[in-house]
Every structure is written in C-alpha cells, then in structure tokens.
Amino acid sequence: MGESSMRMIRPAVEDDLPTLQDIERVAGKPFADIGMMAVADDEPPSLDTLRDFQRAGRAWIYPDDAGRPIGYLILGIVDGNAHIDQVSVDPDHAGKRIGKRLIDHAVRWAKAQGMQAITLTTFVDVAWNGPYYERLGFRFLTAAEETAELREIRAAEAAHGLDLWPRAAMRAELDAWQLD
C-alpha cells in the first residue's frame, strides 16, 4: 500500500467548511462540459448547512498530503436510513477511488448505527452519477419504492430545477455492500 492509500478519512472541522464549498464549486465544472450549466453554476451547500452536518458528526473529509480536504461526504438520515446528501471530490483528484472510500466510510458508520440501507438521489444518465453508483452497488428505485422522505427530497429537487435532466433515488443494502 502506498502512502496515499493509508490516508485517513477524518471528521470535518469548522476550518474545513469553506474548503468543502470550494470543492463543490470545482466539482460542478464537469457538468458544464456536458451542457448542464444550471448544475455547474449551482451554489454549494451553505456554511450553516455544512456546519449542521459537521456538528451532527456526519461530515467527513478525505485529506491531501497537507491535510486539506480534497473530497468530502455529508450524510443525512432519511426514513431511518443513511442518505448521502452530497459526496464530492476535486476533479484534479478524480479516478483515485476517493469517492468510494468516503462512501465506504459512510456505510461503516451507518452499519454501526444499526441502519439497513444507504440512499441517495442522482442524475440517471450522467456517467459519474447514476451509472457510477450502480457499479458500486446501488440500485435505482421505482417511484413506488421511494419512501416518504425520499419523495420530499425529490420534490424539493424538482422545485429547484434539477429535473430538467432525468433524476432518481437509489438505494444499497448495507449487508450486501462491498467494501474496498
């Protein structure tokens, strides 16, 4: 194992929060490349929102060699399951399985809480969204399978204009998750 694979995911601290917003801004750039300007230009989560996750102990970062965040995940709880509110990696560090490591960390946390599943909402056709999560072990939910709180999230996303492109909720069972 190289030193980079030994890096430890750690809880986000207050000083990390502005950097998480910076990561979110640069992570939006690939959406511009495929014509999804509204997504690319969307504002990152507010410092208050990030702080809420951080104070709840459900915001984690993947650090670079200097300890600065280059990827992060914030985890909600939706209908009693873990819910990836956001997972983003600086595109300069893409392809290193940082996102997968962050999701694995969230899965371990959720299992420790006795949860059964992890969910998210995502774009169906964007290569680094739906197809990526499917490869990791998530499955698309039908509208009928969406729980009440997932339906609320989807409605809020639609109201925000995200349904200009196909979106869906996805779910993975924690007992079937393959950790790296």
Side-chain angles (χ1 to χ4, degrees):
M1 286 204 157
E3 56 80 32
S4 64
S5 61
M6 299 304 290
R7 276 194 206 131
M8 292 301 294
I9 291 169
R10 65 168 172 79
V13 296
E14 177 72 27
D15 287 350
D16 293 327
L17 302 184
T19 305
L20 304 190
Q21 289 181 313
D22 294 342
I23 291 169
E24 196 58 34
R25 285 185 190 100
V26 297
K29 298 281 187 274
F31 286 97
D33 297 339
I34 60 169
M36 295 172 71
M37 295 309 297
V39 178
D41 294 338
D42 205 20
E43 277 301 300
S46 70
L47 289 176
D48 285 342
T49 295
L50 292 169
R51 192 173 291 116
D52 288 346
F53 283 101
Q54 183 251 327
R55 288 183 175 162
R58 296 191 314 270
W60 298 284
I61 69 105
Y62 188 93
D64 65 9
D65 292 332
R68 288 179 46 84
I70 55 174
Y72 79 97
L73 185 148
I74 51 179
L75 194 70
I77 299 172
V78 173
D79 293 307
N81 288 311
H83 180 81
I84 298 172
D85 198 82
Q86 189 65 42
V87 57
S88 294
V89 175
D90 182 325
D92 288 347
H93 299 276
K96 300 177 182 174
R97 299 192 62 79
I98 293 170
K100 173 65 162 76
R101 289 189 189 113
L102 285 161
I103 295 169
D104 282 353
H105 189 85
V107 165
R108 286 186 187 98
W109 181 90
K111 280 184 170 182
Q113 310 305 310
M115 294 175 178
Q116 301 302 308
I118 187 166
T119 59
L120 55 83
T121 59
T122 193
F123 293 106
V124 173
D125 301 321
V126 175
W128 60 91
N129 279 198
Y132 168 76
Y133 295 121
E134 227 174 3
R135 286 193 305 277
L136 295 186
F138 285 87
R139 69 178 181 85
F140 286 104
L141 296 178
T142 65
E145 289 177 304
E146 289 179 7
T147 56
E149 289 179 10
L150 278 175
R151 282 193 300 274
E152 288 174 22
I153 290 169
R154 293 278 297 113
E157 290 173 347
H160 192 68
L162 294 179
D163 278 15
L164 288 171
W165 305 275
R167 279 186 75 77
M170 299 185 82
R171 174 182 171 116
E173 304 308 316
L174 297 181
D175 60 3
W177 188 260
Q178 298 295 310
L179 296 165
D180 273 6

